[in-house]
Amino acid sequence: MKTDIILAGVGGQGILSIAAVLGEAALAESLYLKQAEVHGMSQRGGDVQSNLRLSSTPISSDLIPFGKADLIISLEPMEALRYLPWLSNNGTIVTNSVPFVNIDPYPTKENLDDTYKELHKKVVIDAEKIAKDTTGTVRTANMVMLGAASSFIEIDFPKIQNAVRAIFQRKGEEIIEMNLKALEAGRNAAL
């Protein structure tokens, strides 16, 4: 088993929380794990990216080579497209459809939609709407996206749920339950 994942988004969207949950779940699955993060201008709405490599055998490098990513999980549609050169021919993109307009000029919705139409393996969902409808807040959109991507990751879903419990444990039971609901809603939206 080997899964190379690029997590992409904008500062404050919860990319590093997704990485932490997947890391915790990978350890519970007895997988090898390497992670590299690029924070950039994350506190000013800049891009945030993380390479996450999971494998049943030892991993040499923490960086994913061009054309080798199995999965891109993005909380922002343009950020997913930024990392297309890393996606393998059989790779999948799971992205939020809602833009975080942080540059000028930002691509039009039509331009984004046209580019996504050309991609064969993709899941594009409105994670913010799903989060708001499920938990009452868009702050759980990152867990919606993780749930949507979970069927493309070779980790048992209950282990991902347990990892959410572990990562959000210090924030209390209410936050844990909100994130678990968002995770499940995302998984259902992508099926």
Side-chain angles (χ1 to χ4, degrees):
M1 175 268 171
K2 177 196 76 65
T3 305
D4 287 338
I5 304 168
I6 291 182
L7 304 170
V10 174
Q13 288 188 305
I15 294 298
L16 301 181
S17 293
I18 294 174
V21 169
L22 284 175
E24 183 81 17
L27 293 175
E29 192 86 2
S30 298
L31 296 174
Y32 291 91
L33 163 74
K34 292 268 186 174
Q35 181 182 356
E37 300 169 356
V38 177
H39 299 273
M41 297 287 287
S42 61
Q43 295 204 357
R44 296 188 183 164
D47 67 316
V48 175
Q49 178 258 357
S50 181
N51 282 229
L52 187 60
R53 305 188 79 193
L54 310 173
S55 178
S56 54
T57 58
I59 305 165
S60 298
S61 173
D62 54 354
L63 296 177
I64 300 169
F66 283 117
K68 298 295 183 183
D70 301 299
L71 180 61
I72 295 174
I73 304 171
S74 181
L75 277 88
E76 205 285 329
M78 192 187 75
E79 291 301 323
L81 298 178
R82 180 190 307 264
Y83 295 100
L84 276 180
W86 279 266
L87 191 65
S88 73
N89 291 336
N90 294 321
T92 302
I93 290 181
V94 179
T95 187
N96 185 9
S97 63
V98 179
F100 184 99
V101 180
N102 59 343
I103 60 169
D104 187 30
Y106 189 90
T108 65
K109 180 172 177 12
E110 294 75 25
N111 286 344
L112 289 171
D113 290 346
D114 288 346
T115 303
Y116 277 106
K117 283 179 191 171
E118 295 175 18
L119 301 173
H120 298 291
K121 295 174 79 177
K122 64 185 174 292
V123 174
V124 181
I125 61 172
D126 185 338
E128 293 179 14
K129 180 177 182 343
I130 294 167
K132 182 83 168 154
D133 291 349
T134 304
T135 66
T137 178
V138 298
R139 293 183 55 90
T140 57
N142 62 335
M143 290 299 112
V144 170
M145 292 308 304
L146 177 56
S150 64
S151 62
F152 302 103
I153 303 168
E154 294 180 56
I155 296 176
D156 291 334
F157 190 65
K159 288 185 179 159
I160 296 174
Q161 291 171 308
N162 288 337
V164 167
R165 287 182 185 96
I167 294 301
F168 292 103
Q169 176 181 326
R170 65 184 172 81
K171 294 188 176 189
E173 196 60 37
E174 183 179 341
I175 299 299
I176 292 170
E177 289 306 314
M178 282 176 43
N179 282 285
L180 288 172
K181 284 180 185 175
L183 184 76
E184 185 72 35
R187 187 168 174 92
N188 291 337
L191 295 177

